[in-house]
Amino acid sequence: METAELRDLYARMNQKNIAPLWEVLSRLVPSEPNPACVPAFWSFDRDIRPLVIEAGGLITAKQAERRVAVLENPGLRGQSQITQSLYAGVQLITPGEIATSHCHTASAIRFVLEGEGAYTAVEGERTAMRPGDFILTPSGTFHDHGNPGREPVMWLDGLDVPIVNLFDTSFSAHQQEEMQAVARSEGDALARYGANMVPVEYEARSRSAPVFCYPYSRSREALETLRRNGPIDPWHGVKLQYINPVTGGYPMPTIAAFLQLLPSGFRGEASRSTDSTVYAVAEGRGRTRIGTATFTWAPRDIFVAPSWAPVSHQADEDAVLFSFSDRAAQKALGLWREEKLQRRP
Ligand code: GTQ
């Protein structure tokens, strides 16, 4: 109970930049996660695509530096965040455009949603961007994007910007040249580090994976084989995580990413974990229940599940979901928890 004496004390404390813990303790140290992030959904065809294409007619990729529609969580508006720890956006480059070369402390992942003919260049090597490809631009690497093709190309960007800014550790720079000179031919990194082999006595110099493109064709084929061989996990279907082939760990120090196949008719059980997770639909149609919200999805739709909200998926046809989260950072810090909820009787 707040007495007159306490109120008086608080006023004098306040003047000295001092505050009473007992007024805020339960909010500061909740008994379980209490995220500001809420479940949210963006339809690609109805919400994202028309707006991004319209922006494409009004500002060039070069003018914008990055022409991106930022997906803002409705519980975190104005902060360029899709979760407490992650940034997400949908980037467009149209035929003939480039997004100029720069580097930053933030690590980025890309998941290609639509179109062929664009590339991402990382440290002198280009990789083609095809729908479903998972692409890395690790912390501190110069990267640029270009579209010498004939159709607009759109992809999901995921960055750990809120983590980098939490620590006040952001640096960024532009490269003098708008585009990086090509130093190695396409496919070099994948051959060198991504064939279950690495150069003899290779020692990693970076905390991030030395491969920077994980082609969808390979990942999809693995899921298909595992779906035939089983078992199908009652919670996650057939779910694989992307790895750094040198360590077997997550591809980058902060961001984990996953690809899961939900067979037609799959009715998943609910589970929850402390890593708020962003999903993008690679294939198929279905529904995901997140807490009390249910989202009905189709290819290229994007949705987000907050920390500790129960999540369950259902598929009406064979479906593939891509997802990413800060699980790598949480695990490195000993914070991550998962709970598989009681199965229906
Ligand atoms: O492509 O480098 O969505 O630097 C936000 C910041 C994309 C990028 C974003 C970036 C990039």
Side-chain angles (χ1 to χ4, degrees):
M1 237 219 341
E2 200 173 285
T3 61
E5 286 98 326
L6 271 175
R7 262 202 308 281
D8 181 69
L9 172 64
Y10 293 172
R12 282 175 290 115
M13 288 170 90
N14 187 44
Q15 285 170 357
K16 311 274 183 195
N17 301 311
I18 294 173
L21 173 63
W22 56 92
E23 292 289 333
V24 296
L25 183 57
S26 62
R27 247 184 305 132
L28 200 63
V29 188
S31 56
E32 56 176 52
N34 181 25
C37 171
V38 297
F41 174 87
W42 293 265
S43 160
F44 185 77
D45 290 339
R46 289 193 307 276
D47 304 332
I48 298 172
R49 192 179 195 285
L51 296 170
V52 172
I53 293 288
E54 186 179 343
L58 298 174
I59 182 165
T60 66
K62 204 194 280 186
Q63 283 168 338
E65 184 167 339
R66 293 295 185 267
R67 190 207 287 115
V68 180
V70 180
L71 304 179
E72 290 202 325
N73 190 285
L76 298 162
R77 289 306 312 275
Q79 301 174 68
S80 304
Q81 291 180 202
I82 192 160
T83 71
Q84 191 64 31
S85 61
L86 294 170
Y87 159 102
V90 174
Q91 183 161 173
L92 162 70
I93 49 177
T94 57
E97 286 194 314
I98 59 162
T100 55
S101 184
H102 70 191
C103 72
H104 37 69
T105 314
S107 301
I109 61 104
R110 330 275 169 193
F111 185 74
V112 183
L113 296 170
E114 183 188 311
E116 294 206 15
Y119 65 83
T120 287
V122 180
E123 297 284 305
E125 185 176 332
R126 286 184 181 180
T127 183
M129 305 180 87
R130 299 191 180 87
D133 289 354
F134 172 63
I135 293 163
L136 308 182
T137 58
S139 177
T141 57
F142 274 104
H143 54 280
D144 57 80
H145 316 287
N147 184 352
R150 286 195 305 265
E151 53 192 43
V153 176
M154 278 163 271
W155 63 84
L156 173 65
D157 281 326
L159 285 87
D160 61 1
V161 164
I163 298 177
V164 171
N165 288 340
L166 169 71
F167 292 118
D168 278 328
T169 47
S170 179
F171 296 91
S172 69
H174 295 101
Q175 197 167 17
Q176 212 134 41
E177 302 75 35
E178 288 186 334
M179 296 155 74
Q180 299 177 60
V182 174
R184 284 177 305 284
S185 62
E186 177 158 0
D188 184 276
L190 205 55
R192 212 177 284 275
Y193 311 105
N196 288 329
M197 303 176 92
V198 294
V200 61
E201 300 309 327
Y202 173 74
E203 285 187 28
R205 283 188 307 276
S206 158
R207 302 278 312 271
S208 298
V211 286
F212 61 100
C213 181
Y214 299 68
Y216 188 63
S217 54
R218 279 193 183 185
S219 309
R220 183 66 179 84
E221 191 183 333
L223 289 177
E224 198 59 42
T225 301
L226 297 183
R227 169 264 192 81
R228 277 199 307 275
N229 294 351
I232 311 286
D233 182 86
W235 290 271
H236 300 307
V238 178
K239 187 168 183 177
L240 297 175
Q241 58 191 38
Y242 295 92
I243 61 161
N244 175 342
V246 177
T247 62
Y250 297 109
M252 298 196 293
T254 49
I255 301 179
F258 311 88
L259 196 69
Q260 69 196 110
L261 186 152
L262 311 172
S264 180
F266 182 76
R267 298 284 177 267
E269 303 295 336
S271 65
R272 57 182 177 173
S273 60
T274 52
D275 51 327
S276 303
T277 302
V278 181
Y279 291 86
V281 182
E283 290 179 37
R285 287 165 196 279
R287 281 167 306 288
T288 295
R289 193 173 161 85
I290 302 170
T292 57
T294 299
F295 301 129
T296 299
W297 39 257
R300 296 173 291 281
D301 291 347
I302 296 167
F303 55 94
V304 56
S307 169
W308 216 232
V311 176
S312 58
H313 307 292
Q314 302 194 344
D316 296 333
E317 52 192 64
D318 282 0
V320 178
L321 298 180
F322 167 81
S323 57
F324 73 99
S325 76
D326 63 6
R327 189 179 301 184
Q330 289 198 21
K331 283 207 149 178
L333 299 174
L335 298 173
W336 187 73
R337 266 200 219 189
E338 181 185 38
E339 186 174 74
K340 290 186 165 176
L341 298 168
Q342 205 59 48
R343 299 198 58 173
R344 287 190 293 266

